[in-house]
């Protein structure tokens, strides 16, 4: 059975929607640049961030638009001409309140699977949803209704306390023209992406924690002396294990061995064309071997032809391009490595590329 997927352009756009909804402007800035490089137009990003105000509020919607504006200004100064995309057209419904209400009512009924929906408990909210959300916003022709629902699902997936709306809009996305398989694929992709972001968060403050523990350790040593210091920490360790034993909890299966490295795998295809992918799951197997978990990618296609590859470690300086090669597939983007912008040369000991921007590279064989 072939798994249904979402287009690369839509994934890049949905990643931006999720980060905008979360308010993570630092990563949103990176995601915006990757989206622009990956074929998402300026006007698509503008329209998506404007749409989100109905779900995230104006503060986060405007913050996302300001982040986009700043990124475009920087890219223009660097000589990058971004694709504006389809021009904005003012919908006729914006100048006719009756038309907007009727259009929105029909669109909302479609969004609910053909069942008319009326929120009689609060007529104001009912009117706003029909006339403005489903009327004014859905009347814009930048996206299809199916695409707008995928953007909404992405935003809701990143927000706390909106599970009923998130689950409801997954169904609405199907009613609007998406397949269930496509919606499920997007949600899995967003969850995996979010898990990767969450794994990175503690590292930001790790040095502060280590310095704090070191200071406490030294102060305690000089306050108590060596013997009392040893007794003090022995007591605390015993108390810690007692608390662990008597307050055990069962957690769901997730990534507990952290931090995990971000590995960049370099391969050649059968014609000698280089490719790189970002592997999130990998580690040391023994003194001479590493282990990497791979799905189905252009890289695995290449490894079936040529078992040799390189492995390098992403750094802060290579973060944007490293994330890019993890999102964009060589199967769909022939000029992927050109867009990544890395300097390539052949590895001396294996038939695989070396990316010179990285400080260390392992030559490997499958």
């Amino acid at each position: 059975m072939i798994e249904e997927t979402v287009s690369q352009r839509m994934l890049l756009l949905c990643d931006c929607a999720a980060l905008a909804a979360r308010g993570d402007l630092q990563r949103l800035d990176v995601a915006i640049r990757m989206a622009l490089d990956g074929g998402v137009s300026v006007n698509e990003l503008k329209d998506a961030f404007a749409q989100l105000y109905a779900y995230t509020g104006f503060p986060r919607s405007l913050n996302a638009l300001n982040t986009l504006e700043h990124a475009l200004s920087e890219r223009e100064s660097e000589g990058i001409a971004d694709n504006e995309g389809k021009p904005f057209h003012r919908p006729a419904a914006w100048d006719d309140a009756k038309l907007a209400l009727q259009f929105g009512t029909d669109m909302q009924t479609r969004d609910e699977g053909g069942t008319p929906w009326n929120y009689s408990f609060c007529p104001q909210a009912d009117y706003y949803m029909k006339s403005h959300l489903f009327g004014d916003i859905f009347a814009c022709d930048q996206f299809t209704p199916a695409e707008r629902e995928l953007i909404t699902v992405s935003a809701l997936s990143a927000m706390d306390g909106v599970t009923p709306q998130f689950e409801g809009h997954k169904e609405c996305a199907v009613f609007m023209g998406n397949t269930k398989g496509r919606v499920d694929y997007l949600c899995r992709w967003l969850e995996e992406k979010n898990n990767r972001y969450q794994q990175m968060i503690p590292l930001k403050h790790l040095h502060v924690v280590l310095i704090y523990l070191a200071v406490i350790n030294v102060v305690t040593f000089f306050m108590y002396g060596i013997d009392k210091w040893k007794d003090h920490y022995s007591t605390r360790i015993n108390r810690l294990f007692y608390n662990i034993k008597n307050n055990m909890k069962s957690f769901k299966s997730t990534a507990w061995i952290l931090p995990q490295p971000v590995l960049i795998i370099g391969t050649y295809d059968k014609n000698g064309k280089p490719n790189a992918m970002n592997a999130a799951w990998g580690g040391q197997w023994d003194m001479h071997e590493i282990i990497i978990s791979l799905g189905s990618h252009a890289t695995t296609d290449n490894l079936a032809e040529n078992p040799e590859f390189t492995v390098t470690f992403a750094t802060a300086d290579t973060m944007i391009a490293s994330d890019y090669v993890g999102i964009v597939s060589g199967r769909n983007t022939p000029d992927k490595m050109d867009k990544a912008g890395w300097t390539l040369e052949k590895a001396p000991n294996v038939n695989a590329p070396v990316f010179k921007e990285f400080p260390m590279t392992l030559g490997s064989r499958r």
Side-chain angles (χ1 to χ4, degrees):
M1 179 178 178
I2 299 176
E3 182 181 38
E4 293 190 67
T5 61
V6 178
S7 71
Q8 202 65 44
R9 163 188 156 273
M10 203 65 205
L11 288 177
L12 292 168
L13 190 60
C14 288
D15 188 31
C16 290
L19 290 168
R22 191 179 295 122
D24 189 343
L25 300 183
Q26 183 178 7
R27 291 195 175 102
L28 176 61
D29 179 73
V30 174
I32 285 172
R33 296 166 195 265
M34 291 174 59
L36 292 169
D37 289 338
V40 179
S41 73
V42 173
N43 286 331
E44 285 176 327
L45 286 166
K46 285 182 181 179
D47 200 286
F49 293 153
Q51 171 187 327
L52 290 187
Y53 105 85
Y55 301 95
T56 68
F58 264 126
R60 292 200 168 174
S61 172
L62 292 176
N63 285 345
L65 287 166
N66 289 337
T67 302
L68 170 61
E69 185 176 17
H70 175 74
L72 291 172
S73 177
E74 280 196 352
R75 288 165 68 87
E76 184 178 11
S77 69
E78 296 167 0
I80 301 174
D82 288 306
N83 174 30
E84 290 291 325
K86 182 192 297 185
F88 167 76
H89 297 113
R90 183 183 177 88
W94 286 17
D95 299 313
D96 187 334
K98 184 177 180 181
L99 176 62
L101 179 60
Q102 184 58 55
F103 179 87
T105 301
D106 294 341
M107 188 63 67
Q108 186 187 45
T109 299
R110 177 182 169 187
D111 198 59
E112 293 293 328
T115 303
W117 192 86
N118 295 293
Y119 194 47
S120 57
F121 174 74
C122 182
Q124 304 97 305
D126 185 65
Y127 178 81
Y128 298 155
M129 283 189 283
K130 285 182 170 64
S131 183
H132 183 53
L133 172 55
F134 288 102
D136 292 337
I137 293 179
F138 273 74
C140 294
D141 64 357
Q142 193 66 233
F143 298 112
T144 66
E147 290 173 327
R148 288 201 181 277
E149 276 299 337
L150 292 183
I151 293 169
T152 299
V153 166
S154 302
L156 293 174
S157 75
M159 299 169 65
D160 294 328
V162 294
T163 300
Q165 288 78 16
F166 172 58
E167 295 298 330
H169 275 278
K170 286 165 63 176
E171 292 185 0
C172 294
V174 175
F175 293 144
M176 284 299 200
N178 297 288
T179 63
K180 185 178 184 301
R182 187 174 293 117
V183 176
D184 290 342
Y185 176 88
L186 173 63
C187 292
R188 286 194 303 272
W189 185 87
L190 289 167
E191 183 178 13
E192 180 180 341
K193 189 82 172 175
N194 182 55
N195 287 341
R196 288 173 60 190
Y197 286 143
Q198 293 302 316
Q199 290 170 18
M200 298 177 191
I201 291 172
L203 301 180
K204 180 179 179 182
H205 304 294
L206 181 59
H207 67 288
V208 178
V209 175
L210 294 176
I211 292 172
Y212 171 78
L213 291 174
V215 170
I216 293 298
N217 219 349
V218 171
V219 170
T220 306
F221 176 83
F222 282 104
M223 285 180 62
Y224 293 104
I226 184 64
D227 292 331
K228 290 187 177 180
W229 177 80
K230 289 165 63 178
D231 292 341
H232 173 73
Y233 274 92
S234 176
T235 301
R236 293 189 66 180
I237 290 171
N238 287 336
R239 187 182 303 124
L240 171 63
F241 280 108
Y242 174 82
N243 288 337
I244 291 175
K245 179 179 179 181
N246 291 277
N247 294 279
M248 294 178 66
K249 294 182 180 179
S250 177
F251 295 94
K252 67 178 183 178
S253 175
T254 187
W256 290 109
I257 302 176
L258 301 172
Q260 289 182 302
V262 176
L263 305 176
I264 304 299
I265 304 174
T267 58
Y268 285 131
D269 69 9
K270 60 184 179 181
N271 298 315
K273 183 176 181 179
N275 185 55
M277 73 165 284
N278 178 320
W281 304 100
Q284 194 76 25
W285 180 261
D286 61 19
M287 287 295 292
H288 305 289
E289 294 182 323
I290 59 174
I291 183 171
I292 303 173
S293 176
L294 297 174
S296 176
H297 306 277
T299 293
T300 53
D301 296 342
N302 294 349
L303 288 173
E305 299 285 343
N306 169 29
E308 298 182 334
F309 59 100
T310 56
V311 178
T312 190
F313 305 89
T315 64
D317 292 337
T318 62
M319 179 179 66
I320 294 177
S322 295
D323 209 16
Y324 173 78
V325 300
I327 291 178
V328 175
S329 172
R331 289 173 173 171
N332 306 321
T333 309
D335 58 348
K336 172 181 174 178
M337 297 315 302
D338 292 334
K339 291 182 177 180
W342 290 335
T343 307
L344 281 67
E345 65 179 33
K346 188 179 182 301
N349 300 316
V350 294
N351 183 27
V354 170
F355 310 110
K356 297 182 70 174
E357 284 75 10
F358 296 84
M360 185 179 77
T361 300
L362 307 178
S364 308
R365 291 182 177 86
R366 181 168 60 87

